[in-house]
Amino acid sequence: MTMNEANTYDRYQRQIILPDFGVGRQQKLMRAKVLVIGAGGLGCPVLQYLAAAGIGTIGIADDDLVSLSNLHRQVLFTVHDIGLNKAERALAVLEQLNPEIQYIAYPKRLTVENAFEIIGDYDMVVDGTDNFSSRYLINDACVLMKKPLVFGAVSRFEGQVTVFNYRDDAHDEPVNYRDLFPSPPRAGEISNCAEAGVLGVVPGILGVMMANEVIKGITGMGTLLNGRLLTYNACNNQVYELALQVNRDARVSMPADKKEFMEMDYDCLCGVGDKGFEIDYKTFSELVRAGDIAVIDVREAGEVPAFDKFDVVNIPLHQLSRELSQIQAGIVVTVCQSGQRSLVAAGELASAFGNSKKIYSLKGGVLQWPLLHKKELS
Amino acid sequence: MQVRVILFGQLTEILGQELVLDHLEDTDGLKAELISRYPALGAMTFVMALDNRTVTGNTRLSNNSTVALLPPFSGG
């Protein structure tokens, strides 16, 4: 693929004729290799605009499958893609948009085992993942491999975007995610999109900003959000920017080399799988028998099946923080459909009550509730 | 001396969008005051920025400073 091909020139003509762009910068894009991790709400617009702009090689990593509840924001996919892998479906759609560039799909999760191998092939990495475990893993790998990292994250009506680990004349010691947030929040403290919700346009807006940072970073055009975090609020259009600083204390806990990285357990670091709040049915039934317990159903009113074999107070998750005075017992167990919302609720209650109450979440929720056990409790 | 505090993400559920505080010397004092008024903040993860720059150690406040508290977001 050369700029001599009339078709190629025609495809990118509108950006090539820009005063500060030209054929030279287009060729930089065409030689670039960018890895987009997470083909979700942020990843979809990032991928669309990078493919359209003519990035030479685009890697797409995602182990997740398309679901109906993704479609309001993950705009590469249609109802025909439900149940299919996001990385592979994104690749198929992008090939229609721009068949002149190379795509590689990684239909898997980035892990300490494969991160170096996958990231090593690229000039720049984009983090559009949806969990802290992946974000810390990607950050640490990019720091060790000296790869610039375009970072975006959203919650409800707000988003954050920045560029980590980008070396230029002004930044010989670039900042990274750990300078901003040295350690992950407790499990359940920060809600993800599935639990807290997200306005579809928010990752759209932030994702396009991330693609813009990639294009500027590769071409050397304009000013990057290098070492500066930009936040955007879609409700009031307010933008807030802050300069990030190196945080020496935070860097002590980073892996020092590839060997240490390979030994990291990022799920454990981020409290995934060891949440402390979760109890199984057996423990739950013992607590119910012992008394001084409040069982709180944090689902919306009317969700079925009901917990009807023991006393339950229904306080939907979004109202929980305003209804704390209702909770008098010394032991609180939150319950919901699948154990996800109740885990978030347990985190909120633990924040509110501190050590004054024992807080638990019923693992698996009502969906994992065997009929047999319901009877046992009655 | 007045300091304006602006909040982001889920922190607005605890403290509201914005508040103004008086009689504070430094960022450690500000943090302690906020946690005593809003105990739930004590268990939250956030980064503090003073006049658009992250604070890594205790920093003196000046009149009309703006302090921002930002939680991490995980959503993508």
Side-chain angles (χ1 to χ4, degrees), chain A residues 111-189:
Chain A
T111 64
V112 290
E113 286 85 23
N114 66 24
F116 266 64
E117 193 185 333
I118 294 174
I119 291 173
D121 287 338
Y122 294 89
D123 307 315
M124 192 176 274
V125 178
V126 178
D127 180 358
T129 58
D130 63 356
N131 63 88
F132 288 110
S133 174
S134 295
R135 292 188 180 283
Y136 279 88
L137 185 155
I138 292 164
N139 177 73
D140 291 356
C142 287
V143 170
L144 290 171
M145 301 180 80
K146 297 186 165 55
K147 301 284 183 185
L149 173 62
V150 175
F151 171 97
V154 294
S155 178
R156 295 188 171 162
F157 304 99
E158 291 173 71
Q160 303 170 340
V161 57
T162 185
V163 181
F164 292 129
N165 216 30
Y166 185 90
R167 282 175 171 74
D168 60 18
D169 294 342
H171 300 84
D172 54 346
E173 189 181 31
V175 293
N176 68 71
Y177 191 46
R178 286 185 185 260
D179 293 314
L180 179 60
F181 295 110
S183 53
R186 289 172 295 105
E189 181 187 326

Side-chain angles (χ1 to χ4, degrees), chain A residues 197-217:
Chain A
V198 62
L199 195 68
V201 294
V202 171
I205 292 164
L206 272 292
V208 174
M209 294 177 85
M210 291 163 75
N212 184 34
E213 294 306 306
V214 172
I215 290 167
K216 287 187 294 180

Side-chain angles (χ1 to χ4, degrees), chain A residues 260-280:
Chain A
E260 281 188 28
F261 174 80
M262 301 273 291
E263 288 164 359
M264 292 284 290
D265 183 342
Y266 285 92
D267 280 348
C268 181
L269 176 75
C270 299
V272 180
D274 180 28
K275 293 170 173 117
F277 296 122
E278 290 191 313
I279 52 168
D280 59 10

Side-chain angles (χ1 to χ4, degrees), chain A residues 40-42 129-132 135 153-156 158 160 180-181 185-186 189-191 231 240-245 351, chain B residues 6 8-10 12-13 17 39-40 43-47 49 51-56 66 68 70-76:
Chain A
L42 292 167
T129 58
D130 63 356
N131 63 88
F132 288 110
R135 292 188 180 283
V154 294
S155 178
R156 295 188 171 162
E158 291 173 71
Q160 303 170 340
L180 179 60
F181 295 110
R186 289 172 295 105
E189 181 187 326
I190 304 292
S191 307
T231 74
Y240 177 82
E241 245 186 81
L242 67 152
L244 308 179
Q245 298 190 73
S351 303
Chain B
I6 55 175
F8 293 86
Q10 288 174 259
T12 61
E13 291 168 23
Q17 299 273 348
M44 302 297 283
T45 303
F46 59 87
V47 63
D51 294 327
N52 301 83
R53 194 172 175 81
T54 52
V55 174
T56 49
T66 298
L70 301 97
F73 292 160
S74 68

Side-chain angles (χ1 to χ4, degrees), chain B residues 35-64:
Chain B
I35 290 172
S36 78
R37 288 195 196 190
Y38 306 93
L41 181 66
M44 302 297 283
T45 303
F46 59 87
V47 63
M48 184 186 276
L50 171 61
D51 294 327
N52 301 83
R53 194 172 175 81
T54 52
V55 174
T56 49
N58 191 21
T59 309
R60 278 196 78 77
L61 298 168
S62 48
N63 198 23
N64 297 324

